[in-house]
Every structure is written in C-alpha cells, then in structure tokens.
Amino acid sequence: MSLYIFPLVFSLVLSVAGLGIFTSLEKYFSFFKRTRQELGRESSDISRWGGWVVVVVFIATLFFDPSLQITKDIWGLIFGCLGMLLLGILDDVKPVGWKTQLFTQTMIVLVVIFVFGISILNIPNPFGDRIIFWGAWGVFFGSMLAGVWFLLLMNALNWSDGVDGVAPGIVVIVALAFFMLSLRTEVFQPPVAIISLAFLGSYLGLFFFNMYPAKIFTGTAGVFVAGFAIAYLSIFAGAKIATAFLVLGLPVLDALWVVWKRNQAGVSWVSPDKRHLHHILLARGWSERSVSFFILGFVSICALSTFLSDTVGKVITIVMLVLSFFLFMNSRNRS
C-alpha cells in the first residue's frame, strides 16, 4: 500500500496549500472574481478559479510520482486535461458561447480518440459475455460512443455545479470508487489506482474550500477537466462504463432531463432556468447545505452499490435509478 501513499498525500497537501495561498491573495486581484449572481447564486463576489489550481496539482502529481510510468495512454489523459483546462480558463475569464465550448470540447476529444487510441471497444452484457465491437464499423461505433460519453460527462458535471460542495464532492467519490475497483484481484491496475488517488487528493483539497459557504468555486476549468478525466478513466480502466454511469447517474440523468424539458418548451437546451434537481429542492425549502449532503449521499450510495453487485445487478440498479428519477421529477412538475 505504500505505493499509493505518495499520490494521495502529495496531491492533497499541494492542493490545500495552493488553494489556501490563492484564496489569501485573490482579494487583491479582482480580475479573478466573478459574482455569485453571475453563477446563479446569492451573496458576495467570489473567485471561480479553484479548478485550475487543482488541475495543475493533479497533472504535477502524475509527473512527480516515482511509481507511475507516463505511457501513451497517460499522455492522452494529460493532453485532454490541459486542453479542457485552457478552454475552462477562457470561460472563467470571459464566458465562452456554448457552441464554441461544444466545438472545442469535440475537437479535443477527437484528438484523444484518434491520436491516443482511447475508445470503447466493448460494453457489458448482462446476459453473457461482453459485447465486443469488431471490424472497422465496430471501431468507428466505439469511437463515436466514446466521444458522446466524454461530452455527456463533462457537461453533466458542469451543470451539477450549482450548489456549493457538489461538483468536487462527486469527483472525490468517483475517484475513490475507481481506486478501490482498480485494486480488485480480477482487475488489479496499479496505474489506474495511482491516477485515481492523485485525482482524489487534488479535488478533496478543493472540496474543503468549496463546502457551503464556499470560499472558492470549482469554475468551468475544474468541472470540464474532472468530467473529462472521469470519462477517460472509465474507458482506460477496462470499460468501466456501467460503473461510472451508476456513480454519476444522478447528475447525468439531471442533465438529460433538463435538455428534454427545454426541448419540449421550445427553448435552447443551454438556456438558464430552474429545472435542475437542486433548483427544485431549493424551491421546496431545502437549505443549500441540505441539498449538497443529499446529492453527495445519494452518489455515495450508488458508488457503494458498484461493489455489491455484478453486471446484472448494476444494470438493474441503473434501470431502477432512471425510473425513480423520472417519476420523481414528473411528480414535482405536476405539483
């Protein structure tokens, strides 16, 4: 286990120290600040640049870890994270239009897929062996599926960042789940375990600063990189797509629900509104802290279920989650 102490401790200490220094100094630099009202929240101005600090820490940990060999696969992760970091920083400085965001995300993801070879080659089959994508068309389909997966997770996590503590908290839970899964005897992937712990430690430091009332926000850079890294690890770790979808089921379903309802209303799917789950709970009188604890608690239960069920159990759990979510949201709409 000593192999895994360095990435966790190094990233956590560096993250807390970096964010502590940044929050102490940023009051002198109004350039870094965006009002909470701009982000759909109340209260005074606050920096939304926490994400770029933890992303730098995460990537630095990968380079400095003496036990991690930087292979082509890991270079793909680093390249994608740096690309999403740059896009996020541009949006944090001055909001970037959603079409430009989506186009840039797509270009970065396509480079990762076709240059670094990160693609979905198979998916779980609850009724037997895994479904493997054969031949040229199979590779093409797996590549396109991977692209959709990347874009879905990045934007779903971005939309979940509407309540203090939620986005970095979800990242910490997912990273912990990937770490524990990577140590299973039938899997045993030390590189994935090291990367997961570097990821966990970096965002755990941010979680301490982002809990209600937040001293610093994750920002677009932080959530884009987090969503990209989770999607990447779920593929890199042996197509853990079902596991990642189960853990991230709530924010993913929330994003899909909002897009569907906006489409029904005949408005742009990126139009700001109060249709997200956290908006509904806040409107019903829940405190922001209670909403944060509820979402993170639910995500934690979903993560725990990944260790207690096989492929069939995960599929059943996902189906139950989907049905429960849409029934709940529909009932809220009627009331």
Side-chain angles (χ1 to χ4, degrees):
M1 291 300 292
S2 59
L3 178 70
Y4 308 117
I5 294 176
F6 177 85
L8 177 61
V9 174
F10 183 84
S11 60
L12 178 58
V13 170
L14 210 59
S15 177
V16 171
L19 289 166
I21 294 172
F22 187 84
T23 52
S24 298
L25 296 178
E26 58 93 20
K27 60 185 177 182
Y28 300 109
F29 301 97
S30 58
F31 170 78
F32 291 123
K33 294 183 179 180
R34 295 280 295 281
T35 64
R36 292 176 66 101
Q37 285 82 358
E38 285 182 88
L39 305 173
R41 308 184 191 184
E42 300 176 353
S43 180
S44 58
D45 294 1
I46 190 171
S47 170
R48 58 176 290 170
W49 285 57
W52 74 265
V53 177
V54 297
V55 172
V56 170
V57 170
F58 170 53
I59 295 175
T61 304
L62 300 184
F63 281 114
F64 282 104
D65 191 294
S67 303
L68 184 66
Q69 181 181 359
I70 307 296
T71 62
K72 179 182 177 181
D73 290 332
I74 298 176
W75 275 118
L77 172 64
I78 293 171
F79 169 83
C81 287
L82 289 174
M84 296 305 169
L85 173 62
L86 178 59
L87 173 61
I89 288 177
L90 292 175
D91 185 69
D92 287 329
V93 173
K94 184 178 181 180
V96 176
W98 72 268
K99 291 182 181 179
T100 303
Q101 282 191 21
L102 186 61
F103 175 80
T104 308
Q105 288 176 343
T106 302
M107 291 300 100
I108 295 171
V109 167
L110 288 177
V111 171
V112 168
I113 291 173
F114 292 107
V115 174
F116 295 95
I118 298 300
S119 180
I120 297 176
L121 302 178
N122 58 78
I123 56 176
N125 179 8
F127 306 106
D129 295 332
R130 301 182 72 86
I131 300 173
I132 301 175
F133 302 135
W134 297 102
W137 281 109
V139 172
F140 176 78
F141 177 77
S143 299
M144 294 303 99
L145 185 61
V148 172
W149 180 242
F150 275 107
L151 296 175
L152 176 62
L153 291 199
M154 283 188 291
N155 291 288
L157 192 61
N158 186 31
W159 282 356
S160 74
D161 189 30
V163 178
D164 292 352
V166 168
I170 289 175
V171 174
V172 168
I173 295 167
V174 175
L176 181 60
F178 278 144
F179 168 70
M180 296 180 68
L181 285 170
S182 68
L183 295 184
R184 281 188 165 181
T185 305
E186 66 273 21
V187 178
F188 196 64
Q189 298 172 306
V192 175
I194 292 172
I195 295 170
S196 298
L197 285 181
F199 195 38
L200 190 158
S202 302
Y203 279 81
L204 182 58
L206 177 59
F207 177 68
F208 295 145
F209 286 85
N210 188 241
M211 288 188 296
Y212 183 85
K215 298 179 180 64
I216 192 169
F217 286 153
T218 309
T220 306
V223 290
F224 276 1
V225 170
F228 174 86
I230 291 171
Y232 196 102
L233 285 174
S234 68
I235 299 173
F236 178 51
K240 297 293 186 291
I241 307 300
T243 297
F245 184 87
L246 184 54
V247 179
L248 288 171
L250 194 59
V252 168
L253 289 173
D254 183 51
L256 294 175
W257 165 267
V258 170
V259 170
W260 178 41
K261 298 305 289 186
R262 288 172 181 170
N263 183 64
Q264 281 189 326
V267 298
S268 170
W269 63 275
V270 295
S271 298
D273 54 34
K274 301 293 183 180
R275 289 187 170 95
H276 287 288
L277 175 62
H278 58 265
H279 289 137
I280 293 174
L281 295 177
L282 289 171
R284 293 182 64 83
W286 288 43
S287 68
E288 190 165 340
R289 190 187 300 272
S290 297
V291 173
S292 177
F293 285 157
F294 170 76
I295 294 176
L296 294 180
F298 193 93
V299 172
S300 298
I301 293 172
C302 290
L304 181 62
S305 70
T306 65
F307 301 98
L308 303 177
S309 57
D310 55 12
T311 301
V312 175
K314 289 176 184 176
V315 171
I316 293 174
T317 305
I318 289 172
V319 171
M320 292 176 61
L321 173 62
V322 172
L323 291 176
S324 300
F325 177 84
F326 281 100
L327 285 172
F328 172 79
M329 297 298 275
N330 267 321
S331 67
R332 295 309 95 195
N333 265 9
R334 294 192 190 99
S335 63

